[in-house]
Amino acid sequence: MSRAAVAGPDGVLRCPWALSTEDYVAYHDEEWGRPVHGDDALYERLSLEAFQSGLSWITILRRREGFRAAFAEFRIAKVAAFTETDQERLLADTGIIRNRAKIEATLANARLLAEWAPGELDELIWSYAPDSRPAPGTLDDVPAVTAESTALSKALRKRGIRFVGPTTAYALMQACGLVDDHLADCAARGH
């Protein structure tokens, strides 16, 4: 199986992973791989990628609005002010993934990031965007970890950010457009 781009019901060539649900099609076509900037926006993606660890992305995608409501739209300053009561509320919230370690990491990361200068998270993450590389022809050509994601993970963890290993860092890089891992024949490549 080549796992190359596949035509969807509409005839548009897409990355094969995007065709299993309408949610994935929309995410693939409108968001994944497009540049994301801004500390709050990147904090949201970093948090959601951490929650995704060990789960399917569709699980997170379908609960994203619940996450946004629960975590004050991922506004760093607001989440940094969450209390023990808020943490208990989150642990009881069926609209999100109720994993204590991931919730605690999300809150701790907000408290830490609230102390950073405006734009500092954006600048740090984007400083690890690699030079362009050839478009992957098949899913087998898409790595799970790269030297850049390993370095980004290390830099974030050195600064105290939790739940961001090299694989999570690479997923963040893909989702936020630091790399374009849409397959060579995918209609969304280069957008």
Side-chain angles (χ1 to χ4, degrees):
M1 181 164 85
S2 71
R3 300 170 8 129
V6 176
D10 58 2
V12 174
L13 287 174
R14 291 183 179 88
C15 300
W17 63 263
L19 296 174
S20 62
T21 72
E22 288 184 25
D23 294 329
Y24 269 159
V25 171
Y27 177 69
H28 171 273
D29 290 0
E30 299 165 16
E31 290 184 65
W32 192 74
R34 296 182 187 231
V36 173
H37 285 282
D39 293 341
D40 290 337
L42 288 166
Y43 167 66
E44 175 182 0
R45 298 315 198 298
L46 185 65
S47 300
L48 293 177
E49 292 294 347
F51 273 102
Q52 186 271 329
S53 182
L55 302 170
S56 168
W57 179 246
I58 197 69
T59 302
I60 303 304
L61 193 57
R62 288 183 173 157
R63 293 182 183 199
R64 184 163 53 171
E65 291 310 314
F67 275 106
R68 287 175 173 164
F71 286 96
E73 302 298 319
F74 289 97
R75 300 290 182 238
I76 293 169
K78 288 184 178 185
V79 179
F82 278 17
T83 65
E84 188 75 29
T85 302
D86 291 306
Q87 182 172 316
E88 293 307 312
R89 172 186 54 80
L90 293 167
L91 287 166
D93 189 335
T94 58
I96 66 170
I97 304 301
R98 295 174 293 168
N99 177 297
R100 182 177 294 278
K102 293 176 182 181
I103 289 170
E104 288 175 355
T106 302
L107 300 180
N109 289 346
R111 290 180 190 115
L112 186 69
L113 292 169
E115 298 175 6
W116 291 21
E120 191 171 352
L121 178 63
D122 188 300
E123 184 177 326
L124 176 67
I125 288 174
W126 277 91
S127 73
Y128 288 89
D131 293 331
S132 64
R133 59 175 195 252
T138 70
L139 292 180
D140 294 330
D141 299 330
V142 178
V145 174
T146 63
E148 294 88 358
S149 75
T150 301
L152 174 57
S153 169
K154 186 176 180 179
L156 288 167
R157 286 184 291 153
K158 185 176 181 181
R159 301 276 309 264
I161 302 296
R162 294 164 45 184
F163 250 97
V164 61
T167 303
T168 299
Y170 194 66
L172 175 75
M173 293 171 81
Q174 290 173 305
C176 295
L178 279 75
V179 295
D180 185 354
D181 275 345
H182 285 285
L183 301 182
D185 294 337
C186 176
R189 175 133 188 112
H191 289 300

